[in-house]
Structures are given as structure tokens and as C-alpha cells.
Amino acid sequence: MLSKGGDVPSNNVQRFREALMMSKAELARKAGLSTLTIDRVESGRPCRLDTKRKVLIALGLRVSDKDRVFGGVAIGYPGAVQAENHNDVS
């Protein structure tokens, strides 16, 4: 799934945060990150593995839940989504 711009894979961080009725500021505080970082993560921008781990834990999830939240696509690698979509050639 692509974000509005069509060039960055999206994720489910915002959905999980909102399901917990948590603000961006609260998630940032619990994760030890800035609200700007949370904005970037929610928009699908690339982030460090440590940032993903902090977000998962702050959402009350396990690191093993990473694919549910961030998806299985290697975020931040150009062409990752296109390569995944072209594997089904009939």
C-alpha cells in the first residue's frame, strides 16, 4: 500500500495508536522519541530499527508484531514495493 504521495510505503502505526486512543505526543513520550519522529514513522518514512522497536514497545506490542505494524516490505529500499508486486507474473 502506498501513501498519498505514491512513493513511500505506508504502515499501521497510526491505526494502532488511534485504537489505543493515544495521541502522537503520548506515543512519543512513551517511546522516548520526538513527535516529529512519530509523524515521520506514521507517514511511512524510513526509520532505524531501534526506532521501530521503541514504537512497538510503547504501543504495548512485541517486537515479533513488527510485520503487523510496519508490514513485511523492506521500508526505505527503493523498488521494494515494485519488486513485491511483480512476483506474480502469470
Side-chain angles (χ1 to χ4, degrees):
M1 179 178 218
L2 295 177
S3 64
K4 294 175 191 171
D7 57 341
V8 180
S10 65
N11 59 51
N12 294 310
V13 174
Q14 183 176 358
R15 287 187 189 108
F16 276 87
R17 176 180 59 78
E18 290 176 348
L20 294 170
M21 297 182 67
M22 187 184 296
S23 69
K24 286 183 184 181
E26 186 177 358
L27 177 58
R29 189 170 22 82
K30 285 185 174 192
L33 300 168
S34 70
T35 53
L36 179 59
T37 298
I38 299 301
D39 277 335
R40 289 176 177 161
V41 169
E42 287 188 353
S43 69
R45 302 273 313 269
C47 65
R48 298 183 337 198
L49 291 176
D50 187 52
T51 300
K52 290 181 182 181
R53 181 185 56 79
K54 288 177 180 181
V55 168
L56 289 167
I57 292 169
L59 290 171
L61 302 170
R62 297 178 184 178
V63 175
S64 60
D65 294 321
K66 68 185 183 313
D67 290 341
R68 288 178 44 214
V69 178
F70 293 100
V73 175
I75 296 174
Y77 293 98
V81 172
Q82 290 82 5
E84 179 184 64
N85 291 338
H86 291 290
N87 287 340
D88 296 352
V89 178
S90 302

